[in-house]
Amino acid sequence: MRPSRSRAWVRRCEEVLRPDPTRVVARLFLPGQEMAAAGVSRSEAVIARVLTLTEDEVDAELHELEESFGSRHRGLFSTWESHYSLLEHRISGDEPLTFARRRLIGAYFTQEYAVEGAALFNPSMATHPDQTGVAEGSLRFVMTVRAVGEGHVSSVELRTGTVDAQGDVSVDAPPTVAVLANPLPTSYVRTAFANQLVDMWGDRTNSDFVLDALPETFDRDELDQALQSLRDQKLTRGVATRTIDRFDWIARCSYTVEFAQSSLGQERVLMPRGPSESHGMEDVRLVRFDEPAGTGEYVGTYTAYDGDRISTQMIGTRDFRTFTITRLSGPGSRNKGLALFPRKIAGRYVAMSRADRESNGITMSDDLQHWDEPVLVQTPHEPWEIVQLGNCGPPIETEAGWLVLTHGVGPMRQYGIGALLLDLDDPTVVLGCLAEPLLTPDADERDGYVPNVVYSCGALLHGRRLVLPYGSSDSATRFAVVDLDPLLAELAASPARPTSDEDPA
């Protein structure tokens, strides 16, 4: 390890995760997606040309494709057949096609996508659910990392590794194959829909008509039945079509997916599915949540980006195989950077919020879905954070208080990672705040897709050490280890700062 430039008890590790352009997934490809002048799509033209090939040509082409691409994917034939089924309605004639020709047509409508071809950064870390075989004094961890591919679309990948008794970090070698999840039926909660509709400023008369027809928990079929009732009355109900579209949009933003049991954890990639995240799933803040029943469910919040607007969504899993996605609501969930505390406080869920886009606040919820107006706890003050503040992941419980890693943006848009200490019983009370950052970009971390950035989405406490994974310049993932005791001592000696220029010192 090498020490930080300013503190000997902050040490950078040699381990670096860099993007690997060879990790690819097979996705649907629709040539052009536009209609030709004569009204015939390019899809039909491509299919027509494949249908003119002889069976020998089909077999030869499939053999070459299998040789070139088979080792890069799992179940590639199944993917081709699935993509063919989406185009089957465009094929006329009564004579069935051979399996080989069906697969070849599917291959023409498939493309490889390098999920981390551009970057692999902004990690969050939590204790792995399986500690079997780990050496005494060591801890296995699981990380989420933000992978960026073509078109700057962000996806979520998993990584695993261990930190030993001396605080040395070792990341398991990732497999070369990437695997996508399959959709599962999902259920919805009526109050969650109601809160999201309030955020969207929808028509209450029509919305209430649909909501009143739904049970507290419902599925897609029940929602479609309720929407059909509204559709049947649209002549006497203004803006009914807009209300129907909003219900459909909210439903498609919440979903459940499952990876094949045969897939390995590090092979699994969560790519955008819902309309709110069509252009990216960004910066998961993962936490192992201590539920009252002790189930230890993993929950993460992330920024969903649709190409125009952002929103906060939540991802939940118990086994890192099945994942449920939900969209959050309420003033506390506005903008980026919602980070959950790992347990309830005074009977309520609590989270760090940056609803005003530049300050740190505390927001609370009764159901993990709808978040109250945040209470301001920290505003930009020091030179290194004047542009804006935010958190760097879920708060960590210590005997001295809630340890919150923060980020600040200063001149030349340089990022630094700092820290706050909040009261255990009332996290709106700030006990200490570092005047100087723990980390700023080293010389070899300054260059990348976005220069001069160090940024984390969540650290892990291991004994008396804080293991801090962080993204460097929106390109790669690195690690630092922070000794907890001197950090807490410096926080205790650093008084809380005012939350505005008008507040007394």
Side-chain angles (χ1 to χ4, degrees):
M1 291 187 180
R2 51 197 171 100
S4 166
R5 289 178 295 175
S6 58
R7 295 177 177 90
W9 43 270
V10 180
R11 303 177 301 280
R12 283 171 161 87
C13 304
E14 299 300 326
E15 190 91 40
V16 182
L17 296 183
R18 302 188 186 279
D20 179 3
T22 69
R23 284 178 57 84
V24 293
V25 295
R27 301 181 66 190
L28 182 67
F29 169 59
L30 298 174
Q33 297 192 31
E34 78 279 1
M35 299 298 291
V40 179
S41 73
R42 290 191 61 199
S43 297
E44 289 179 337
V46 171
I47 291 171
R49 288 192 281 269
V50 178
L51 293 177
T52 64
L53 299 177
T54 67
E55 291 300 330
D56 287 343
E57 289 174 321
V58 168
D59 291 340
E61 192 67 28
L62 273 180
H63 177 74
E64 183 175 338
L65 288 171
E66 185 178 6
E67 289 289 317
S68 298
F69 294 95
S71 62
R72 294 163 64 91
H73 302 273
R74 292 192 188 278
L76 188 57
F77 282 174
S78 296
T79 300
W80 290 341
E81 290 167 3
S82 175
H83 290 173
Y84 168 80
S85 67
L86 299 175
L87 280 300
E88 191 173 16
H89 66 280
R90 293 185 175 273
I91 298 175
S92 59
D94 297 329
E95 186 175 347
L97 303 182
T98 63
F99 282 116
R101 195 175 296 269
R102 290 163 61 100
R103 288 174 176 172
L104 184 58
I105 291 174
Y108 276 102
F109 291 88
T110 302
Q111 66 173 337
E112 288 191 331
Y113 181 86
V115 290
E116 57 187 74
L120 191 70
F121 63 115
N122 290 3
S124 66
M125 182 182 283
T127 302
H128 197 287
D130 183 6
Q131 297 294 318
T132 304
V134 176
E136 184 177 357
S138 297
L139 180 75
R140 179 176 290 127
F141 60 79
V142 59
M143 287 197 314
T144 61
V145 284
R146 176 178 169 185
V148 178
E150 179 184 349
H152 198 72
V153 175
S154 296
S155 303
V156 180
E157 292 191 19
L158 301 176
R159 291 290 187 274
T160 59
T162 56
V163 53
D164 66 17
Q166 289 72 45
D168 291 327
V169 176
S170 176
V171 180
D172 299 331
T176 57
V177 175
V179 177
L180 297 178
N182 298 308
L184 290 179
T186 193
S187 60
Y188 310 103
V189 178
R190 185 177 61 202
T191 53
F193 266 65
N195 288 329
Q196 291 187 56
L197 288 162
V198 170
D199 284 356
M200 298 170 71
W201 299 97
D203 177 78
R204 290 298 302 271
T205 302
N206 287 338
S207 298
D208 289 347
F209 174 81
V210 177
L211 292 170
D212 289 345
L214 294 168
E216 181 55 33
T217 302
F218 57 93
D219 60 22
R220 183 67 208 218
D221 287 342
E222 291 171 310
L223 174 60
D224 287 341
Q225 291 174 15
L227 293 178
Q228 185 59 49
S229 297
L230 177 61
R231 192 176 286 109
D232 292 341
Q233 298 184 23
K234 67 179 181 180
L235 289 178
T236 57
R237 290 184 174 273
V239 298
T241 299
R242 185 171 65 184
T243 301
I244 292 169
D245 289 342
R246 285 179 172 173
F247 270 90
D248 177 71
W249 186 87
I250 293 172
R252 290 189 293 125
C253 289
S254 298
Y255 57 89
T256 302
V257 294
E258 182 179 74
F259 289 91
Q261 191 165 5
S262 59
S263 64
L264 303 176
Q266 291 198 103
E267 294 177 339
R268 298 166 185 169
V269 180
L270 289 165
M271 295 198 70
R273 285 182 175 268
S276 58
E277 62 188 23
S278 59
H279 284 62
M281 304 169 71
E282 303 179 358
D283 300 346
V284 173
R285 285 161 161 80
L286 182 70
V287 63
R288 187 171 188 173
F289 197 80
D290 297 326
E291 292 187 323
T295 56
E297 182 173 14
Y298 292 82
V299 182
T301 52
Y302 67 95
T303 299
Y305 178 51
D306 68 1
D308 181 39
R309 297 163 298 179
I310 60 170
S311 59
T312 301
Q313 300 196 163
M314 189 170 70
I315 181 171
T317 184
R318 297 178 186 272
D319 57 6
F320 291 97
R321 182 183 166 220
T322 302
F323 295 84
T324 299
I325 307 294
T326 52
R327 189 170 180 270
L328 306 184
S329 62
S333 68
R334 291 193 300 261
N335 297 307
K336 297 183 176 183
L338 194 76
L340 301 173
F341 284 64
R343 64 172 174 85
K344 288 183 177 180
I345 301 175
R348 302 196 75 196
Y349 300 102
V350 186
M352 298 297 299
S353 171
R354 198 187 68 176
D356 69 353
R357 300 181 62 193
E358 65 176 23
S359 305
N360 280 318
I362 297 291
T363 181
M364 297 187 180
S365 172
D366 292 320
D367 59 4
L368 277 176
Q369 300 295 314
H370 186 75
W371 293 90
D372 298 343
E373 188 72 41
V375 176
L376 198 64
V377 296
Q378 185 192 24
T379 56
H381 182 75
E382 302 293 346
W384 64 276
E385 62 187 24
I386 279 179
V387 174
Q388 69 187 46
L389 280 167
N391 69 73
C392 273
I396 296 170
E397 188 168 6
T398 74
E399 73 280 3
W402 292 105
L403 176 60
V404 181
L405 294 175
T406 64
H407 71 264
V409 182
M412 296 298 293
R413 204 194 177 197
Q414 176 170 273
Y415 278 62
I417 295 177
L420 279 176
L421 191 67
L422 307 178
D423 185 81
L424 286 176
D425 298 320
D426 183 359
T428 65
V429 175
V430 180
L431 302 178
C433 180
L434 294 187
E436 297 292 335
L438 285 173
L439 285 180
T440 55
D442 257 1
D444 61 347
E445 298 170 339
R446 294 186 58 184
D447 300 323
Y449 190 79
V450 180
N452 306 308
V453 175
V454 288
Y455 189 92
S456 178
C457 291
L460 174 67
L461 189 62
H462 177 48
R464 304 304 292 178
R465 293 185 177 94
L466 187 69
V467 184
L468 172 57
Y470 63 95
S472 62
S473 296
D474 282 14
S475 297
T477 295
R478 299 173 184 259
F479 301 85
V481 176
V482 181
D483 291 341
L484 181 64
D485 293 327
L487 171 58
L488 293 179
E490 186 169 331
L491 282 166
S494 304
R497 302 197 302 266
T499 55
S500 74
D501 293 337
E502 291 74 32
D503 288 341

